[in-house]
Amino acid sequence: MSRLQDKFNELQSAHKKGLVIYLTAGIPDADGTLEAVKTAVDNGADVIELGIPFSDPMADGPVIQAASYEAIQKGMTLKKVLELVREIRKFTQVPILGMGYINVMFNYGFEKLAVDAKTAGLDGFIIPDVPHEESGDMKKVCKEQGLHLVEFVTPGTTDQRISETCTTADGFIYCVSVNGVTGVRKIDYSPINKVIEHIKKQTDTPCAVGFGIGSPEAAVDAAQRADAVIVGSAVVKLVMENKLDEAGKLIGDIRHALDKKVN
Amino acid sequence: MSKGRFGKYGGQYVPEIVMPVLTELEAAYEKYKNDPEFLAELRKYYVEYAGRPTLLYYAEKLTKHYGGAKIFLKREDLLHTGAHKINNALGQVLLAKRMGKNRVIAETGAGQHGVATATVAALFGMECKVFMGAVDMERQKLNVFRMKLLGAEVVPVTTGTSTLKDATSEAIRYWAAHIEDTHYIIGSAVGPHPYPTMVRDFQSVIGREIREQIKEETGGRLDYLIACVGGGSNAIGTFYEFRNDQSVKKFGVEAAGRGPAVGDNAQTLSNPASRPGVLHGAYSYLAQDEDGQVIEVYSISAGLDYPGVGPEHAMFHEEGIVKYVGINDKEAIDAFQLLCREEGIIPAVESSHALAYLEKLMPNTKKDEVVVVTLSGRGDKDVQQVAKVLGEEI
């Protein structure tokens, strides 16, 4: 069992919804990222999605684009992200997934990356520009290292693709709430809930809903069918503005709202 | 290996959100690419609206100037809107219409593809949004206004480096949020499958016409083909027809800018420092730093300064089917002036890179040999910039 699977099993036994918090590595700086991870975990994050900055993040909205750009300007690299993971492992066993675009990973060498990531204490990857069709080789490499490679579904994913994804899904399934990019906005969760219901008939792999969730109310709304919610831009915005206390409070409020709703 | 590969290059490295619409586009393209009715309609617009076939012009004075092989110019600059971009825009808008889309979007750098897209959108009564880097909008004010006149909305992009690559990312983001009613007309032979194939097919009318026309001019004798390469659509359109003709030597000319240092040129294939990577959905060659971040490239020509290149070019490069070379700013501006004076033709600065390669090639050619240069666009849009370079106030 991996840290990630253990966490989801634990959540399920406790009848709790999971909270995945996205943080861009290098924001506000390397040490600040460690603080941000600590704050997120202390306030109830179950999983950390650690953003590996890329110059052209095409699935991301303005906040994470800006964070990514700033992190690169400040010298954050994939190698340094792995160093950060090593540092994080000194104080927490929270599951950590590296979220980044494939070019940076290809550039590092994907096989070498998998080995180094495992050694550093990473639990897997989320790669938004690698759909099912392109993930074959990477899945194999990740599996060999005992790393998860998270796959995506969206409201527009066809039934056939959902079935294919369910067969190979690993860790959790990233359920994109809405057509578009990351960033806080009001969202109708019924289309993705339908997809999740469809998934639930085919696999026990947990479903996490992401894109657009920026408040406790939105998180509760998004968590109706899903096993977990992913919060990114809302937290990253506060971390970028050096408002770590407020970020912690937001995470804590979301945690509280999710727990209250279920219990 | 996934679909849409040229050797190991190409593929579909896009967010899951975009996959259904790429699948839909691929199905539509497969359905219509050999459909007689579709092809007849495209042909009609090529001939009656765009002005095809374009001339294959014997540049007698330029030939005399060099004293080597006979030089012919494939006059894509004579097309409506002034460049080869209209070939692709017409093909894609006809496809979009059949797919029931009522809005088209495009990215643009120099503005030529934006103008071509705005033009076909006006012609077919579609809503049009063109994404353009704020820096490029400042550099290409004339084209920004042309697009507005044609009824398009020009959306300034201020993320990243505020240039073509960022405009492309922004167009993809917009598309991801509006897949139901929007078709994205990518302007070059780049992007995820099926774009590189589709754009190449729409542009390969250039090479097919060259094949036909050179028969009349020289009885079919053709030794060299030259075209400029940014993303590489006019070049792939020129070379594709001749990909198996080993006797025809093919040169893809990239922008060597102001020097070999990283960020001073836009040489994706002809720069030994470049290596493969993924940008905007395709695995191809890519200008990137040691950490895999895409770098801002430079050329005097806004149409050539794209950090990526079409995946089929990456394959042609590795297989030696095309030789990719670099021409710097100064050489391009010299060639620009030479064509103005010798032939009375003002070429686009992009196309001037292809023309400039004649300086290097011609001394090694014989009088009975034949070279065709694709003149991808006209240079009216560049006159102001060239004046600035030459220190003239206009």
Side-chain angles (χ1 to χ4, degrees), chain A residues 71-191:
Chain A
I72 294 167
Q73 300 301 312
K74 289 179 171 171
M76 187 48 59
T77 62
L78 178 48
K79 203 166 161 245
K80 287 183 185 166
V81 173
L82 297 180
E83 283 166 24
L84 276 178
V85 173
R86 227 171 268 127
E87 291 299 313
I88 295 167
R89 281 290 167 247
K90 290 178 183 165
F91 63 82
T92 175
Q93 287 305 308
V94 69
I96 309 170
L97 299 166
M99 186 282 193
Y101 292 80
I102 193 61
N103 191 58
V104 172
M105 301 184 190
F106 274 167
N107 180 69
Y108 191 99
F110 198 81
E111 288 186 31
K112 182 177 184 303
L113 173 62
V115 173
D116 293 355
K118 184 70 185 180
T119 312
L122 205 66
D123 298 290
F125 293 106
I126 300 174
I127 316 175
D129 57 346
V130 173
H132 194 68
E133 282 76 358
E134 303 289 355
S135 67
D137 294 348
M138 287 158 246
K139 275 208 159 300
K140 211 175 123 225
V141 170
C142 283
K143 203 168 181 175
E144 276 166 19
Q145 293 299 326
L147 294 167
H148 299 286
L149 183 60
V150 169
E151 292 198 62
F152 289 81
V153 296
T154 77
T157 306
T158 59
D159 288 355
Q160 194 200 328
R161 283 177 72 77
I162 290 171
S163 300
E164 284 165 18
T165 301
C166 286
T167 325
T168 56
D170 181 29
F172 64 83
I173 297 174
Y174 196 126
C175 304
V176 177
S177 62
V178 66
N179 288 338
V181 293
T182 58
V184 177
R185 56 210 183 274
K186 178 116 189 74
I187 282 164
D188 170 13
Y189 291 96
S190 48

Side-chain angles (χ1 to χ4, degrees), chain A residues 20-24 49-52 64 99 230-233 235-236:
Chain A
V20 181
I21 296 294
Y22 170 94
L23 296 163
T24 300
E49 214 188 290
L50 194 58
I52 304 159
I64 294 175
M99 186 282 193
I230 304 166
V231 180
S233 297
V235 172
V236 170

Side-chain angles (χ1 to χ4, degrees), chain B residues 65-76:
Chain B
H65 171 86
Y66 285 113
K70 281 180 113 174
I71 301 167
F72 290 85
L73 302 177
K74 181 58 175 165
R75 300 287 311 272
E76 295 296 295

Side-chain angles (χ1 to χ4, degrees), chain B residues 229 253-257 265-267 298-299 304 325-329 353:
Chain B
V229 178
V253 184
E254 296 186 313
N265 59 76
Q267 289 170 272
Y298 164 82
S299 163
L304 298 183
V325 296
I327 284 292
N328 67 32
D329 287 357
H353 285 72

